[in-house]
Amino acid sequence: MFRNLLCACLAFAAVLAVSAPTRAASAYDIDVGVDATLDRFFANVRGARELANKSVGILVFPSVVKAGFGFGGEYGEGALRISGQQRSVDYYNTVSASVGFQLGIQERSVIIMFMTHSALEQFRRTAGWKIGADASVAVITVGIGGSIDTNKITSPVVGFILDPKGLMYNLTLEGTKISRINPR
């Protein structure tokens, strides 16, 4: 029993060490990652740019790292752009934790589009916005070379999850907490 508890504690400490950043990225570094992620998204998914142009705000996390061994943790930093602006207006981090069967490290990009002004304003005025509690995000799954039918999207907040190859995962964002940060 003691050995199992010790293993669980060591695994949890390893997850925290891998998923927590040693320092926050600079605003410039975050913006470079946001630009690259959006470029990859627009190049791989037909209709993505059109949907982005219809949105009132886009929150992009270029690199969200999830690590786990029984206990899991996830962390990433990103930026919010409003109404297709090329510059970021605010910076955020995303954090989540989980318990259950999991092993390894995974990296992904997350794009959240706010389709209504009220959804964007609720997000911006909520400290520590939690997906599932403060708002529901409809995760759209699209394969490589796929397309988005922008006329069928009716949710006020939609999300996309991309792996480094551009494929979409059929994952959830439930339980993810997003908070404003001040990068250096």
Side-chain angles (χ1 to χ4, degrees):
M1 168 113 169
F2 177 75
R3 183 176 173 205
N4 289 341
L5 182 59
L6 179 63
C7 286
C9 289
L10 290 173
F12 186 67
V15 165
L16 289 178
V18 170
S19 63
T22 55
R23 60 182 173 78
S26 70
Y28 174 80
D29 290 338
I30 293 171
D31 287 335
V32 167
V34 168
D35 291 337
T37 300
L38 288 173
D39 288 345
R40 185 170 43 113
F41 181 56
F42 297 152
N44 289 329
V45 180
R46 287 185 313 272
R49 188 177 303 276
E50 181 183 344
L51 184 63
N53 290 338
K54 287 183 176 183
S55 72
V56 295
I58 302 174
L59 180 62
V60 181
F61 294 99
S63 176
V64 178
V65 177
K66 180 177 186 174
F69 184 77
F71 296 98
E74 184 174 275
Y75 185 85
E77 295 176 340
L80 175 67
R81 296 190 175 165
I82 296 180
S83 299
Q85 293 181 13
Q86 292 298 317
R87 67 174 196 84
S88 301
V89 295
D90 288 315
Y91 296 89
Y92 294 86
N93 68 16
T94 178
V95 178
S96 68
S98 58
V99 177
F101 180 74
Q102 51 197 326
L103 177 65
I105 297 174
Q106 177 183 42
E107 182 182 18
R108 60 188 183 162
S109 299
V110 176
I111 299 171
I112 299 173
M113 294 186 186
F114 298 93
M115 304 309 293
T116 65
H117 288 285
S118 61
L120 178 61
E121 288 308 310
Q122 178 190 1
F123 168 74
R124 292 189 81 196
R125 74 172 168 259
T126 303
W129 194 70
K130 190 167 186 180
I131 297 175
D134 295 315
S136 177
V137 175
V139 176
I140 310 295
T141 305
V142 181
I144 198 161
S147 64
I148 301 169
D149 185 351
T150 59
N151 295 321
K152 292 186 178 180
I153 294 177
T154 58
S155 298
V157 184
V158 295
F160 299 88
I161 302 171
L162 295 83
D163 76 2
K165 297 176 188 127
L167 300 175
M168 308 301 165
Y169 290 145
N170 187 13
L171 299 174
T172 181
L173 296 172
E174 293 293 314
T176 299
K177 185 176 178 182
I178 299 173
S179 302
R180 186 173 286 133
I181 60 172
N182 293 314
R184 50 183 177 91

